[in-house]
């Protein structure tokens, strides 16, 4: 088998392995039998909400099993066609089967990613916060570059992006910014981006053209659904009103109605800078509840790349990804070792391969510390 064709087969088999692992294939038939038995219960629809939940879960299992089986069968069928075509010296049959394998690779890749996005809040909209770290003016500029990168990524996905608040840098860029990103699986995709991002480049602000290292941190947490109840004790929070220091323009309007909420037990601070003070209180409170919900998710999944472990301080030793623009071109994720020399593409929002690699790492059950031991 030619190397190119073998590469397609290897990628399909890798996707199948992940789908099988995610599905827990060995127990799937037994779980389906249990679902079918419960569906036949005449008292099932006495509780319509529970019944609908059960039917959704059953259908998800059926769809996952059918997806795995169909990809596996199509792979076997096309490999058999290639073998027969080669034996009979039928180049047309071989070419058609090879084309089908290439298409199957793309399909399997999509199903692989969909299988990774099955966490409790993965389907939710998300908040994304960016904060400049060590590096002064350089880091403020780097924070604005990251903001542009994530906005472009979201726009390519067809997501809605709303700037919640922004604090401009003293000379350039931004000190911080918060966005709400809305769309299918927005949190599921972006959750792997929480952490410190490091930039190495020749500074455009240094007359001596020296190389500088800058840091900024990303913090991602899901928008809490209305059916998820998060209680916040009024005695645990402080609400401050202040003048927004955003850049103004079409995204942020300078106003006296900006609101900051501080949650004393956790130290969480959230802000909103819309025109209406009432609207700001509502947005900020929703953001606070989402942050508290994220803390609970972290506690539940502390053994798999916990967000607090990954985030750390925005400085040396805590970065999850490095973006090197000089003396060479390279973006490398330090958790998964996934890398690319297409720095322009990444900074223009081509982030899916990095996100997918981290999602796959999480599926394997490795923590960030475990992954870094490979360095």
């Amino acid at each position: 088998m030619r190397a190119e064709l073998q590469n397609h087969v290897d990628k399909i088999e890798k996707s199948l392995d992940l789908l099988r692992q995610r599905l827990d294939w060995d127990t799937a038939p037994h779980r389906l039998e249990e679902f079918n038995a419960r569906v036949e219960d005449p008292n099932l629809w006495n509780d319509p909400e529970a019944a609908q939940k059960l039917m959704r879960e059953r259908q998800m299992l059926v769809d996952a099993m059918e997806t795995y089986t169909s990809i596996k069968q199509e792979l076997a069928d096309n490999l058999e066609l290639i073998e027969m075509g080669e034996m009979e010296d039928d180049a047309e049959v071989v070419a058609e089967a090879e084309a089908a394998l290439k298409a199957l690779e793309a399909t399997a890749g999509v199903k692989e990613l969909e299988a990774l996005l099955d966490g409790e809040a993965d389907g939710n909209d998300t908040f994304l916060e960016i904060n400049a770290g060590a590096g002064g003016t350089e880091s403020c500029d780097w924070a604005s570059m990251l903001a542009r990168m994530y906005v472009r990524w979201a726009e390519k996905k067809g997501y809605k992006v709303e700037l919640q608040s922004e604090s401009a840098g003293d000379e350039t860029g931004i000190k911080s910014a918060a966005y709400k990103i809305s769309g299918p699986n927005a949190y599921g995709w972006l959750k792997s981006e929480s952490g410190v991002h490091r930039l190495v480049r020749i500074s455009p602000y240094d007359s001596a053209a020296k190389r500088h290292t800058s840091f900024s941190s990303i913090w991602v947490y899901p928008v809490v659904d209305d059916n998820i109840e998060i209680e916040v004790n009024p005695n645990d929070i402080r609400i401050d009103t202040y003048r927004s220091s955003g850049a103004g323009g079409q995204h942020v309007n300078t106003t006296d109605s900006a609101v900051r909420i501080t949650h004393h037990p956790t130290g969480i601070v959230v802000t909103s800078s819309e025109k209406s003070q009432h609207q700001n209180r509502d947005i900020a409170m929703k953001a606070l509840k989402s942050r508290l919900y994220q803390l609970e998710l972290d506690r539940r999944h502390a053994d798999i790349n916990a967000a607090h472990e990954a985030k750390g301080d925005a400085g040396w030793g805590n970065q999850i990804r490095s973006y090197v623009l000089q003396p060479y071109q390279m973006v490398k994720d330090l958790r998964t070792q996934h890398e690319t020399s297409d720095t322009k593409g990444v900074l223009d929002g081509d982030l899916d391969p990095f996100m997918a690699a981290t999602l796959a790492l999480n599926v394997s059950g490795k923590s960030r510390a475990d992954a870094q031991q490979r360095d």
Side-chain angles (χ1 to χ4, degrees):
M1 187 180 296
R2 298 194 317 276
E4 180 184 0
L5 180 58
Q6 184 64 55
N7 185 48
H8 294 306
V9 173
D10 290 344
K11 289 182 178 179
I12 295 170
E13 290 179 340
K14 174 180 174 294
S15 295
L16 282 171
D17 287 343
L18 178 62
L19 290 172
R20 183 185 181 93
Q21 179 183 357
R22 219 51 185 148
L23 181 58
D24 193 3
W25 179 258
D26 293 337
T27 67
H30 303 293
R31 285 182 282 130
L32 182 57
E33 289 178 4
E34 293 177 359
F35 275 125
N36 290 337
R38 294 171 64 186
V39 167
E40 294 173 1
D41 184 349
N43 298 319
L44 173 66
W45 289 95
N46 291 343
D47 186 344
E49 185 174 341
Q52 290 173 1
K53 182 175 183 293
L54 175 66
M55 296 301 289
R56 285 195 302 270
E57 291 176 350
R58 178 188 177 278
Q59 191 59 48
M60 287 175 61
L61 177 60
V62 169
D63 291 345
M65 292 177 68
E66 290 179 350
T67 293
Y68 174 80
T69 302
S70 64
I71 292 175
K72 186 176 182 179
Q73 187 61 53
E74 190 173 345
L75 173 61
D77 290 346
N78 282 291
L79 288 175
E80 184 177 352
L81 281 174
I82 290 174
E83 184 178 354
M84 290 174 58
E86 290 176 343
M87 289 177 61
E88 299 175 5
D89 200 22
D90 190 334
E92 185 176 351
V93 169
V94 172
E96 289 179 357
E98 289 181 350
L101 281 179
K102 291 179 182 178
L104 182 61
E105 178 190 336
T107 299
V110 170
K111 296 301 181 182
E112 177 183 340
L113 291 178
E114 290 177 353
L116 293 172
L117 299 174
D118 66 350
E120 180 176 350
D122 282 356
N124 292 26
D125 299 337
T126 190
F127 292 109
L128 181 144
E129 293 183 3
I130 302 170
N131 292 282
T137 298
E138 288 289 329
S139 288
C140 287
D141 189 48
W142 174 222
S144 67
M145 292 170 65
L146 286 172
R148 174 183 176 276
M149 180 180 77
Y150 285 113
V151 168
R152 290 207 168 191
W153 172 85
E155 290 173 345
K156 289 178 180 180
K157 287 283 188 184
Y159 291 165
K160 179 182 178 182
V161 180
E162 301 172 79
L163 183 59
Q164 304 285 295
S165 64
E166 184 178 85
S167 175
D170 294 333
E171 298 180 30
T172 189
I174 57 174
K175 292 180 180 178
S176 64
Y179 294 88
K180 179 183 178 183
I181 299 177
S182 305
N185 292 320
Y187 172 69
W189 278 109
L190 281 167
K191 66 182 181 182
S192 64
E193 296 299 292
S194 284
V196 177
H197 296 243
R198 169 179 174 250
L199 173 70
V200 179
R201 65 172 177 174
I202 301 297
S203 171
Y205 306 102
D206 187 342
S207 59
K210 293 183 178 179
R211 189 169 52 176
H212 285 246
T213 299
S214 309
F215 300 91
S216 289
S217 64
I218 303 297
W219 181 239
V220 178
Y221 47 99
V223 175
V224 178
D225 291 336
D226 292 337
N227 61 348
I228 299 176
E229 295 185 4
I230 304 293
E231 293 186 4
V232 178
N233 187 337
N235 295 326
D236 288 342
I237 62 175
R238 184 180 77 244
I239 300 177
D240 299 310
T241 302
Y242 65 102
R243 174 177 288 274
S244 170
S245 59
Q250 60 179 340
H251 296 300
V252 178
N253 295 291
T254 300
T255 171
D256 289 319
S257 64
V259 169
R260 178 191 296 113
I261 298 180
T262 303
H263 186 250
H264 298 300
T266 62
I268 291 173
V269 178
V270 293
T271 61
S272 180
S273 305
E274 295 296 328
K275 293 181 180 180
S276 164
Q277 185 174 131
H278 176 75
Q279 182 183 25
N280 280 328
R281 284 175 179 261
D282 182 57
I283 291 173
M285 186 58 71
K286 286 181 178 178
L288 174 60
K289 290 182 177 181
S290 293
R291 288 283 295 271
L292 294 173
Y293 181 56
Q294 177 67 47
L295 288 178
E296 176 60 25
L297 290 179
D298 291 344
R299 281 192 287 269
R300 296 181 196 176
H301 303 92
D303 58 331
I304 302 178
N305 198 25
H308 283 293
E309 175 197 19
K311 188 170 184 288
D313 295 326
W316 287 101
N318 294 306
Q319 64 266 19
I320 63 168
R321 190 176 301 151
S322 289
Y323 306 70
V324 181
L325 305 185
Q326 278 96 13
Y328 54 90
Q329 302 276 314
M330 181 66 68
V331 180
K332 181 175 182 179
D333 195 288
L334 305 180
R335 301 162 296 181
T336 64
Q337 311 308 306
H338 181 80
E339 62 183 41
T340 179
S341 59
D342 182 16
T343 56
K344 183 179 186 301
V346 172
L347 293 174
D348 280 339
D350 294 337
L351 294 169
D352 283 1
F354 286 94
M355 295 176 179
T358 308
L359 288 168
L361 178 68
N362 289 346
V363 170
S364 72
K366 292 182 181 295
S367 69
R368 181 186 177 212
D370 293 333
Q372 287 182 329
Q373 288 178 358
R374 296 176 300 178
D375 292 351

